[in-house]
Amino acid sequence: MAVVKGWEGRYFEDFNVGDVYRCRVGRTVTENDNIWFTLLTNNSNQIHFNNEYGKRTEFGKCLINSALTLAIVAGMGVADVSENGFALGWDQITLPNPLFAGDTLYSQSEVVEKRDSKSKPQWGIVKVRTRGVQQEGKVVIDYTRSVMVWRKEFAPRRDIFPEIVDGE
């Protein structure tokens, strides 16, 4: 049986300034997602979980928690941006339009900078600008972040799948 190698993400050498990566899936955010995340993170702003309160705001309904929006959009970019590394930080996050329950998020990241790590030769640093867009094309979150990414020759081995034992 031939095992076909799957996508393992990009290594430092695979990034080029100007490249744009679009997540292959969209993610509809539900009211339950929003309420659970908001209460799990101890956010007491009722704009995220009290429909009666939300009706009295300029939006006329509850907003999706911006930290949830960030978490989902960042997660959508992992396969393309940070599968082989880790985030160093976010430079700026803006929320130009609201996101509501029932909206579907899409994510796009553009490589805006790439450089060698000065202190760790086995790594490189990639900076991306990521935008989360809802189904009508409105940008709901826009941020830049830097990611420390393995150079392919130094990356840890990935063969962690266990051997299958038949008949036991």
Side-chain angles (χ1 to χ4, degrees):
M1 166 176 72
V3 176
V4 178
K5 190 174 181 179
W7 177 247
E8 292 186 347
R10 288 180 176 78
Y11 295 93
F12 181 70
E13 298 85 353
D14 300 322
F15 289 92
N16 295 297
V17 173
D19 285 353
V20 174
Y21 313 124
R22 288 184 168 169
C23 181
R24 66 179 187 81
V25 297
R27 169 61 159 83
T28 302
V29 184
T30 68
E31 183 177 32
N32 282 343
D33 294 331
N34 190 50
I35 291 172
W36 290 346
F37 183 88
T38 297
L39 297 178
L40 179 67
T41 57
N42 292 315
N43 184 329
S44 61
N45 187 332
Q46 295 188 62
I47 191 70
H48 301 304
F49 59 86
N50 181 333
N51 286 332
E52 292 306 310
Y53 179 84
K55 288 177 189 175
R56 297 176 187 169
T57 69
E58 65 185 275
F59 305 106
K61 54 186 168 180
C62 288
L63 297 174
I64 295 297
N65 185 318
S66 58
L68 175 58
T69 303
L70 174 62
I72 292 172
V73 172
M76 293 172 92
V78 167
D80 286 314
V81 176
S82 60
E83 184 81 23
N84 293 309
F86 57 89
L88 293 173
W90 282 268
D91 295 331
Q92 180 179 357
I93 301 171
T94 59
L95 305 160
N97 291 292
L99 187 68
F100 301 106
D103 283 347
T104 300
L105 277 171
Y106 299 88
S107 174
Q108 173 177 295
S109 295
E110 178 183 359
V111 180
V112 295
E113 186 178 310
K114 173 184 173 178
R115 68 175 180 84
D116 296 327
S117 170
K118 293 176 182 142
S119 60
K120 297 181 171 135
Q122 69 272 34
W123 297 91
I125 298 171
V126 176
K127 183 182 277 191
V128 295
R129 177 186 182 201
T130 299
R131 291 187 287 173
V133 181
Q134 53 88 292
Q135 69 280 354
E136 295 168 350
K138 294 178 186 173
V139 175
V140 297
I141 191 165
D142 188 341
Y143 62 84
T144 56
R145 72 175 175 145
S146 296
V147 180
M148 183 78 85
V149 182
W150 283 106
R151 291 181 184 279
K152 193 168 193 171
E153 68 179 293
F154 296 104
R157 293 188 52 194
R158 289 252 173 138
D159 53 350
I160 59 173
F161 194 91
E163 289 294 321
I164 296 174
V165 179
D166 288 325
E168 290 187 27

